Amino acid sequence: MRETIWCKKLFDTSIQAGKLALSMQKDIINEGKDIIREDKEDDMHYAMRQAKTKADVMVQDMLLKAMMDDRDILTLDVEEESDLVACFPCQDERYTLVIDPIDGTNNFVTQKEDFAVMVAYFEEGIGQFGLIYDVMRDHLFFGGKDFGVFCNDKELKPFQNRPLGDLL
């Protein structure tokens, strides 16, 4: 029951958050955080780590606000620090929410396609459901062990394992 309610909240909020990110894409603001270059890090990876935007935090915070009623039992695994993260004090990992607010930040920052809002939910380390909102194509992929895999309202057929040569 709880899992179904959480999935519905995150389903609706992922779409809203993705649309917010899209509306901000043309006005990207690099927060200018000091990033220390790691040993042997190439220029591209260094630039990607610098490209954390306000959009990342805003998308993540929208998702967290949707889950505030359960902040005392949810453990977070998130990419961005914000004031809302501190509102989720639980660390026992029984119920864990994993959020990548804008997966494909480099594409987002350079105003290309192929970025998504991604959320996964685990109970005691076992995946229960996941959501991937492809913002540019307006496709919400979601699935879980108890309800199949969908793209928007269309159920997707299960993958049929075949020899690699048949897939090429």
Side-chain angles (χ1 to χ4, degrees):
M1 172 79 170
R2 176 183 296 146
E3 177 184 326
T4 304
I5 293 168
W6 287 350
C7 187
K8 177 68 174 141
K9 283 181 182 180
L10 290 166
F11 182 104
D12 295 337
T13 307
S14 293
I15 293 171
Q16 294 168 5
K19 291 180 190 266
L20 172 67
L22 184 60
S23 74
M24 297 176 69
Q25 190 181 33
K26 291 194 184 336
D27 299 314
I28 299 300
I29 300 170
N30 185 329
E31 293 177 345
K33 294 179 184 174
D34 290 332
I35 304 293
I36 298 170
R37 186 181 289 266
E38 295 178 2
D39 291 341
K40 299 181 183 179
E41 182 175 33
D42 62 37
D43 289 342
M44 182 185 78
H45 286 94
Y46 179 67
M48 285 173 57
R49 288 192 314 113
Q50 287 181 312
K52 295 296 180 190
T53 65
K54 289 185 178 181
D56 285 296
V57 173
M58 291 179 77
V59 166
Q60 179 177 288
D61 282 356
M62 280 184 77
L63 294 163
L64 295 180
K65 284 177 185 175
M67 304 305 294
M68 286 299 282
D69 289 346
D70 297 297
R71 65 184 174 270
D72 293 331
I73 62 171
L74 276 171
T75 299
L76 300 180
D77 184 350
V78 297
E79 289 200 351
E80 303 299 328
E81 287 301 318
S82 74
D83 292 340
L84 278 182
V85 172
C87 294
F88 288 77
C90 186
Q91 295 298 314
D92 74 4
E93 299 183 12
R94 183 171 173 203
Y95 306 110
T96 303
L97 193 62
V98 179
I99 299 173
D100 187 344
I102 300 178
D103 183 62
T105 301
N106 195 39
N107 285 336
F108 177 76
V109 169
T110 58
Q111 300 183 9
K112 295 180 183 172
E113 294 186 1
D114 300 326
F115 63 92
V117 176
M118 299 176 63
V119 180
Y121 168 67
F122 294 80
E123 280 186 14
E124 301 196 15
I126 299 171
Q128 301 300 309
F129 67 80
L131 305 162
I132 302 171
Y133 180 54
D134 180 339
V135 177
M136 298 300 283
R137 292 171 189 83
D138 195 28
H139 289 160
L140 179 64
F141 296 92
F142 63 100
K145 65 182 185 96
D146 293 331
F147 52 86
V149 178
F150 295 80
C151 177
N152 297 335
D153 294 327
K154 181 181 177 188
E155 186 167 13
L156 302 177
K157 294 179 183 177
F159 176 76
Q160 298 297 317
N161 197 8
R162 300 183 308 239
L164 180 60
D166 292 350
L167 299 172
L168 300 176

